[in-house]
Amino acid sequence: MDKEENDSRCEQCIIRQFNALRAMSKEELKKVSDSKITRKIKKGESIFEEGEKLNGVFCVRNGVSKLSKLSANGKDQIVKLATKGEVMGQRSIIAEEHSNLSAVAVNDMEVCYIPKESIVHTLKSNPDFAVEVLRHMAHDLREADDVIVNMSQKTVKQRVAEAFLYLKNNFGEDKDGFLALTLSREDIANVVGTATESCIRIISEFRKKGFLKTSGKRIGIADERKLQDLVEGF
Amino acid sequence: MDKEENDSRCEQCIIRQFNALRAMSKEELKKVSDSKITRKIKKGESIFEEGEKLNGVFCVRNGVSKLSKLSANGKDQIVKLATKGEVMGQRSIIAEEHSNLSAVAVNDMEVCYIPKESIVHTLKSNPDFAVEVLRHMAHDLREADDVIVNMSQKTVKQRVAEAFLYLKNNFGEDKDGFLALTLSREDIANVVGTATESCIRIISEFRKKGFLKTSGKRIGIADERKLQDLVEGF
DNA sequence: TTGAAAAGCTGACAATTATCATATCTATGT
DNA sequence: ACATAGATATGATAATTGTCAGCTTTTCAA
């Protein structure tokens, strides 16, 4: 077994520590490992579409994917950004529904596709795994509740500020102090739930006020405190 | 055993068919039944508060409860209306977090308080139960995603219209054609995520246009089709 | 390298929604 | 029945946000 292949075995995968797969037994993990397919996905490529019937879940090894839902007026609302270690599509598999979200790569990605059989089987036979999945879903649900409140009770400006703090906390910064995850202005608008132009305008305003710095499409946080204050309502 | 007591045993409880408790074995159910406490709660009374540490879950036998979260600007956002058969507080128990929501009775209620021990124990020993809980949570999560999209992409008018259709579909109408669940205008505004005055204004507008009929605080749907069209964006 | 095409930016204006003030109604307990 | 607090209603106005149009910059592939 060469090193390359070794790296790709779930048993060795570090990513697993961050998701529910860590509750699987050695044997279960081996089954998953044998049935999974690792795929490289290029920036902008689609992983699955809203309404599609999923026959497995996707475990993100590298890169970031946006999970979004198309609204009646033709705009995408980004509901979640899934990164290293996160599992996409599990909600649909568990509820036995078609996917309610689309997944598109925000940058180049590597994902493992795990057919649902091994997941469903383990769910039914290993309560620890089921509880672990449950815990993750409980966490997602809490986050969703928080987003609902933010959407309805905060201004667009506050939500934009919050989005940048979120990006910094979850994806970090590069050596020049720019956000490590570069999203288009349109994507940011779709996370925040506003018009692209409004989003751009607010970014400009924040730049002029010294809260942010920009360089092309790259954005960096210049005054985290001020942004935080704004989110809190000052 | 008198009839009263018989009715209150979980094994006989019809409500159970609507939630995850149906996946419990006879013995598990008996334990739950022995440890649970049935409580009557009056309209407006609080069941639990945001930030409170819950030591059990609440199963709704009768009546309706609003689950809400206080926002920074002092307004409540109602995230969910829990009715007969629904279980409240399970998310917090599973995630082992303090509650992220408050629960207040919208009308007179009867709820069963089930200490977390029997729930947690069954989760870990009965995979069918865990999967059933998971399924319910997956469903809640999907609904939450939908709410996020509605909040950010629909106008207040559309969301008000949608709220009334939701109330009709989930709680029905009385013999006079008014919604069976009567919420205050403020509560409706808090579901929709808008100012109470805006909500009232829109209700007046809908009444004048013949979409709704009102009688005091009672509201009835007069033209479901028109409301539906409005939601769809026509 | 270069020339579309896409993304970013800004102004002008319109539409939506919130806020404040005030008036009227109505449900509820005594 | 009646007082009254709380809920509902409406006007006036301000603030926020969206839309459309046109321009500039950046990106990316030929």
Side-chain angles (χ1 to χ4, degrees), chain B:
Chain B
M1 190 190 309
D2 64 18
K3 187 152 177 295
E4 181 63 25
E5 197 177 5
N6 189 48
D7 274 1
S8 78
R9 315 203 83 246
C10 296
E11 297 92 316
Q12 317 294 338
C13 182
I14 330 158
I15 295 317
R16 180 166 58 85
Q17 290 310 317
F18 302 115
N19 64 43
L21 293 185
R22 73 203 181 96
M24 279 195 177
S25 72
K26 271 212 180 86
E27 300 79 50
E28 288 163 343
L29 217 45
K30 184 166 184 329
K31 253 190 200 159
V32 167
S33 195
D34 290 345
S35 65
K36 78 158 207 296
I37 300 164
T38 303
R39 260 180 66 193
K40 285 188 198 301
I41 292 158
K42 287 212 201 73
K43 177 177 176 175
E45 231 180 285
S46 161
I47 303 170
F48 56 83
E49 293 286 332
E50 189 178 339
E52 190 179 327
K53 184 164 185 319
L54 298 184
N55 289 306
V57 300
F58 297 84
C59 178
V60 179
R61 273 172 70 91
N62 252 307
V64 176
S65 166
K66 53 181 176 181
L67 292 161
S68 66
K69 190 165 168 9
L70 201 62
S71 70
N73 62 28
K75 272 191 197 163
D76 263 333
Q77 173 65 38
I78 296 177
V79 167
K80 188 177 168 66
L81 292 168
T83 181
K84 189 189 280 190
E86 292 193 80
V87 178
M88 306 188 292
Q90 49 180 333
R91 200 210 61 76
S92 305
I93 294 297
I94 287 160
E96 300 178 77
E97 295 169 353
H98 291 201
S99 177
N100 63 326
L101 302 173
S102 299
V104 173
V106 170
N107 43 34
D108 289 352
M109 299 184 72
E110 210 180 343
V111 304
C112 291
Y113 173 75
I114 305 172
K116 70 173 171 188
E117 286 72 27
S118 40
I119 299 287
V120 169
H121 180 264
T122 309
L123 269 181
K124 288 185 179 160
S125 60
N126 178 350
D128 287 348
F129 178 64
V131 170
E132 197 58 33
V133 174
L134 203 44
R135 246 197 270 278
H136 279 270
M137 194 132 18
H139 178 257
D140 282 353
L141 185 55
R142 188 210 175 97
E143 282 196 337
D145 284 347
D146 290 345
V147 171
I148 291 172
V149 176
N150 281 344
M151 283 294 176
S152 70
Q153 307 285 4
K154 291 199 170 137
T155 64
V156 173
K157 216 173 277 191
Q158 289 177 308
R159 302 202 310 265
V160 171
E162 198 166 40
F164 285 120
L165 295 174
Y166 171 86
L167 290 175
K168 176 177 172 179
N169 292 333
N170 287 271
F171 302 96
E173 300 175 321
D174 64 19
K175 58 184 187 327
D176 304 322
F178 289 100
L179 293 169
L181 180 65
T182 301
L183 293 176
S184 70
R185 307 294 198 261
E186 187 180 3
D187 279 344
I188 298 169
N190 289 345
V191 167
V192 166
T194 189
T196 306
E197 298 94 319
S198 299
C199 182
I200 288 174
R201 240 183 269 278
I202 290 169
I203 291 171
S204 296
E205 183 194 330
F206 285 176
R207 182 173 31 74
K208 281 169 196 158
K209 286 188 176 162
F211 301 171
L212 295 176
K213 58 180 178 177
T214 66
S215 162
K217 62 184 313 182
R218 291 191 308 160
I219 294 174
I221 290 178
D223 191 337
E224 183 161 356
R225 191 45 191 273
K226 286 271 178 58
L227 285 177
Q228 191 61 54
D229 286 351
L230 212 157
V231 172
E232 316 274 342
F234 300 117

Side-chain angles (χ1 to χ4, degrees), chain A residues 91-131:
Chain A
R91 202 210 60 77
S92 304
I93 294 298
I94 287 160
E96 300 178 79
E97 296 170 351
H98 291 201
S99 178
N100 62 326
L101 302 172
S102 299
V104 173
V106 170
N107 42 34
D108 290 353
M109 299 184 72
E110 209 180 344
V111 303
C112 292
Y113 174 76
I114 305 172
K116 69 173 171 188
E117 285 72 26
S118 40
I119 300 286
V120 169
H121 180 262
T122 309
L123 269 182
K124 288 184 179 160
S125 60
N126 178 349
D128 286 347
F129 178 64
V131 170

